Amino acid sequence: MKLLKQLDWRLIITLFMIFAFGIVILSSATHVNQTGNYSRLIKQSIAFALGIGMIILMLAFDYNFIGQYYKELYIASVVLLAIVLTPLGAVRGCARSTLDLGPLDLQTAELVKLTFILSYAKIVELKKGRMDKLKDIVRLLMYAAPIIGLLIAQPDLGTAIVFCCIIAAIIFTAGIDYKMLRKAIIV
């Protein structure tokens, strides 16, 4: 009950409104009322329900407890991204970024977003207050370099850019020294 009181209900209502709007647009784009083919709408609804289930599952876990295993999460992130570069990976759209699991394709980078955010946030948290020198920032970026390198090797530039934005957001919210950032931009 305490958790329900802390939820941002406006965000949840917005999420459901976006989903409803997306279903309307998808039904219009696929001409469902003319063809009677509801398979895409059903697939999208199932994906949304699975996403909501994952959100509920994640709310049940204490991220601080999970954060204790940041090294294991980081290793899992690297392994998940590297495994698609082996023969187990399937080529989809000129990129080897998915695992073929029969009726489903698993894009490992989507799982890695979660594991990497948890591990990287913990590393940055451990460095908090010590991010006032360029070498500290370089160390944090070197921690993320294998992840970006594996994404570029797939090649999945779009996801690599998303990860760069995630990395920047985590570093900025952790309290980077803005004077150092200004010097880096000027140089």
Side-chain angles (χ1 to χ4, degrees):
M1 284 307 246
K2 182 180 177 184
L3 184 63
L4 289 176
K5 290 178 183 176
Q6 293 177 350
L7 290 176
D8 185 355
W9 289 102
R10 286 182 283 168
L11 179 64
I12 293 170
I13 291 169
T14 303
L15 176 72
F16 277 94
M17 289 174 58
I18 290 171
F19 169 71
F21 184 69
I23 289 294
V24 170
I25 296 298
L26 184 61
S27 64
S28 174
T30 57
H31 304 289
V32 169
N33 58 348
Q34 295 169 353
T35 63
N37 184 0
Y38 291 92
S39 63
R40 289 187 180 164
L41 293 179
I42 292 170
K43 189 184 242 185
Q44 191 68 31
S45 298
I46 290 171
F48 182 75
L50 287 173
I52 294 295
M54 288 299 294
I55 289 171
I56 292 169
L57 186 67
M58 290 306 296
L59 286 173
F61 286 105
D62 181 15
Y63 63 88
N64 289 316
F65 172 76
I66 296 170
Q68 295 176 33
Y69 302 101
Y70 69 94
K71 292 176 184 174
E72 292 83 359
L73 289 171
Y74 180 76
I75 292 168
S77 299
V78 172
V79 168
L80 281 169
L81 288 177
I83 199 165
V84 296
L85 297 174
T86 69
L88 296 173
V91 177
R92 301 287 188 264
C94 299
R96 184 178 288 275
S97 60
T98 61
L99 292 176
D100 188 2
L101 302 176
L104 296 173
D105 282 344
L106 174 66
Q107 188 173 5
T108 58
E110 296 305 317
L111 289 175
V112 171
K113 282 180 187 172
L114 181 62
T115 59
F116 178 73
I117 287 170
L118 288 169
S119 66
Y120 198 67
K122 187 63 175 183
I123 287 291
V124 172
E125 178 187 0
L126 294 173
K127 302 281 187 194
K128 194 168 186 168
R130 293 181 288 156
M131 292 190 299
D132 54 351
K133 295 184 179 103
L134 187 58
K135 70 177 183 173
D136 298 325
I137 301 301
V138 169
R139 285 183 186 156
L140 288 175
L141 295 177
M142 292 305 294
Y143 182 78
I147 301 292
I148 301 300
L150 286 168
L151 287 168
I152 291 173
Q154 292 178 3
D156 192 354
L157 183 61
T159 305
I161 291 170
V162 169
F163 271 81
C164 288
C165 292
I166 290 169
I167 291 162
I170 290 173
I171 289 173
F172 282 115
T173 56
I176 188 173
D177 184 9
Y178 290 107
K179 292 177 186 174
M180 184 191 65
L181 183 63
R182 263 188 262 130
K183 289 178 187 176
I185 291 172
I186 292 172
V187 172

